[in-house]
Amino acid sequence: MTVTPADIDVRRITDEELPLWIRTARTGFLRPPTVTDADLAARRTAHIGSRTYGAFDAGSCVATFRSFAQELTAVGGAPIPADAISNVAVLPTHRRRGILTRLMNEDLTAAKERGDVVATLIAAEYRIYGRYGFGPATSAAEWTIDVPRAGLDPHWPGPEDGGRIDFVSLEEVRKTGPELHERVRRAQPGAVSRTDVWWEQDTGTLRVYGEWTEAFYAAYRSADGEVQGLVSYKVDDHWGDAKQPLNTATVEWLIATTPAAERALWRFLCSIDWVVRIKSGARSPDDLLPGFLPDPRAASITTQADWLWVRILDVAAALEARTYGGSGALVLEVTDRAGFTGGRFLLEAGPDGASCTPTGRGADLTLDVAALASLWLGDESAPRLAALGRLGEERAGAALEADALLRTPRRPWCPDMF
């Protein structure tokens, strides 16, 4: 019998359905589908406050979807309420039946009613989410550092600025990490909030995704004792045939409030005996890292791709929340096929703030919400989108004016996967 979309029940799951939901999510992500009591207990804790949806066919869970409350940092530092989307999976037996569309509409409708300004996600596949109004808003790059080639002094004694680097315990990470991260993310457009559950998962208190291995954690303290940076990393165990250590250190995450702290932590990683390669983890595409090395070519980009995707749910609120690089006015015609937002808006921006109001004036630029999302955090170029056919320039020169207002000196970056 052919199953039609009307036969599929899309709704929030009950607690009793959580084992089915976990099994389906793992199957969708090609992970072993076994569900243990420990998995259930961890998921129940991790999902507190989440909106956990499932799609059911004759009692079987065939798709999963979860969202939770998040704050996204806009250009200028304002925290924006966001609907963070994760755990999206549709079983291969039930693809192409509109199930994800129904799940997405259910969640975004609720987010709009709550007053969330945007929705966010990390896209595993590029071609899925544009049709729901999401646009790539930040990118990420990963470097691999050839340590011997970097040209660093192998006898480095530590930071030259009076600071120091120490290994820290899991307890200290849980104590100092959240406050440090808050300082970092408030200054970084594109960064998102980390919940208590995030820190519990990272430090092993809560184990949602199976086996957990403790990382090495090191902190940079300034000369006055303030923690200004933290790094989490792991190291493999690889030796060459001539009894030569050829280990790779993989950075799980590295955050710092100052360039000095950031430089000291990278320098520390490059000074670890037996480590000949460092994988940086996902960093901003204009990260300072290569420039910290005497030979920047020792850091080669091994991955560069889109990272955080944004779906604007309230055009006026999103554009009024951020700051701008100058003064100017633009009329934007924004289309949204799903009907959550859109219309014709007059954006007037200056050093004292911005207003974005409906207008009847002729449009300077026409674009959809996905293209606006790519511009909103300052990473994308309006003339580039025009050249790609994703933006219409209705008044000559308007795309360049948009760039002067919207682009940022440093690229936005989201340090987190969720």
Side-chain angles (χ1 to χ4, degrees):
M1 182 180 73
T2 301
V3 177
T4 66
D7 296 320
I8 305 296
D9 182 21
V10 170
R11 54 177 167 78
R12 291 197 187 189
I13 69 168
T14 65
D15 185 70
E16 291 75 19
E17 293 166 333
L18 185 58
L20 286 174
W21 188 95
I22 297 172
R23 188 175 181 86
T24 300
R26 288 186 169 174
T27 301
F29 283 96
L30 304 181
R31 294 171 179 161
T34 305
V35 181
T36 67
D37 289 341
D39 295 331
L40 281 171
R43 277 286 185 181
R44 285 189 173 107
T45 300
H47 284 208
I48 291 174
S50 296
R51 286 83 63 168
T52 306
Y53 297 90
F56 294 84
D57 176 10
S60 296
C61 185
V62 297
T64 62
F65 188 108
R66 185 171 73 94
S67 69
F68 56 94
Q70 184 186 74
E71 284 188 348
L72 170 65
T73 303
V75 177
I80 305 300
D83 177 53
I85 295 171
S86 186
N87 298 127
V88 178
V90 178
L91 292 184
T93 53
H94 285 71
R95 298 169 66 223
R96 305 295 183 263
R97 303 186 193 183
I99 293 174
L100 178 54
T101 297
R102 291 176 62 190
L103 287 163
M104 187 69 75
N105 287 341
E106 180 97 1
D107 183 71
L108 293 181
T109 297
K112 177 71 174 180
E113 292 172 354
R114 282 193 306 269
D116 291 337
V117 175
V118 299
T120 60
L121 55 81
I122 308 293
E125 296 182 66
Y126 192 97
R127 298 181 65 183
I128 293 176
Y129 294 100
R131 64 179 182 262
Y132 302 116
F134 287 84
T138 77
S139 296
E142 181 178 19
W143 279 268
T144 297
I145 304 172
D146 181 344
V147 176
R149 181 183 172 179
L152 295 163
D153 179 2
H155 305 294
W156 183 69
E160 299 86 0
D161 56 5
R164 59 180 292 159
I165 292 175
D166 299 292
F167 285 105
V168 291
S169 66
L170 297 174
E171 291 74 19
E172 187 166 357
V173 173
R174 286 191 288 267
K175 179 181 177 181
T176 62
E179 189 276 333
L180 177 69
H181 178 263
E182 276 298 292
R183 282 190 283 150
V184 170
R185 71 111 174 169
R186 295 283 182 176
Q188 176 60 62
V192 297
S193 53
R194 289 179 179 175
T195 63
D196 291 341
V197 165
W198 190 97
W199 291 101
E200 290 171 3
Q201 287 181 236
D202 189 78
T203 55
T205 302
L206 182 66
R207 303 184 184 184
V208 175
Y209 297 107
E211 185 177 351
W212 174 83
T213 303
E214 183 175 349
F216 298 101
Y217 296 92
Y220 168 86
R221 291 182 171 87
S222 63
D224 61 5
E226 179 187 31
V227 175
Q228 294 183 344
L230 277 172
V231 63
S232 167
Y233 68 95
K234 296 179 180 179
V235 183
D236 66 5
D237 184 19
H238 176 57
W239 289 68
D241 293 336
K243 203 177 179 181
Q244 178 185 13
L246 300 172
N247 296 318
T248 297
T250 299
V251 175
E252 302 287 299
W253 52 267
L254 185 154
I255 55 175
T257 57
T258 66
E262 192 174 344
R263 179 182 183 276
L265 287 172
W266 286 117
R267 183 66 184 86
F268 161 72
L269 292 168
C270 290
S271 73
I272 299 172
D273 288 341
W274 297 3
V275 169
V276 297
R277 286 200 318 164
I278 295 171
K279 296 182 74 68
S280 71
R283 307 293 301 170
S284 173
D286 65 349
D287 200 82
L288 299 176
L289 169 59
F292 289 140
L293 307 176
D295 184 352
R297 294 180 185 176
S300 58
I301 290 181
T302 49
T303 303
Q304 184 161 335
D306 57 281
W307 191 249
L308 181 74
W309 288 55
V310 169
R311 206 282 186 209
I312 292 177
L313 296 169
D314 187 331
V315 169
L319 290 173
E320 289 180 346
R322 58 156 289 171
T323 59
Y324 295 84
S327 298
L330 286 169
V331 177
L332 306 175
E333 179 79 34
V334 183
T335 59
D336 182 0
R337 288 186 297 174
F340 291 110
T341 188
R344 187 172 296 178
F345 299 91
L346 172 61
L347 172 65
E348 297 178 291
D352 298 326
S355 67
C356 185
T357 55
T359 182
R361 289 170 49 176
D364 297 320
L365 299 174
T366 57
L367 67 170
D368 64 14
V369 285
L372 182 61
S374 294
L375 293 169
W376 177 62
L377 283 175
D379 199 41
E380 186 54 274
S381 156
R384 183 173 181 273
L385 289 185
L388 290 168
R390 295 184 55 203
L391 177 150
E393 187 178 46
E394 310 302 329
R395 176 174 59 80
L400 284 174
E401 292 175 23
D403 250 24
L405 285 177
L406 295 166
R407 294 294 290 272
T408 53
R410 292 290 304 276
R411 298 181 70 174
W413 175 48
C414 177
D416 291 293
M417 168 75 78
F418 56 89

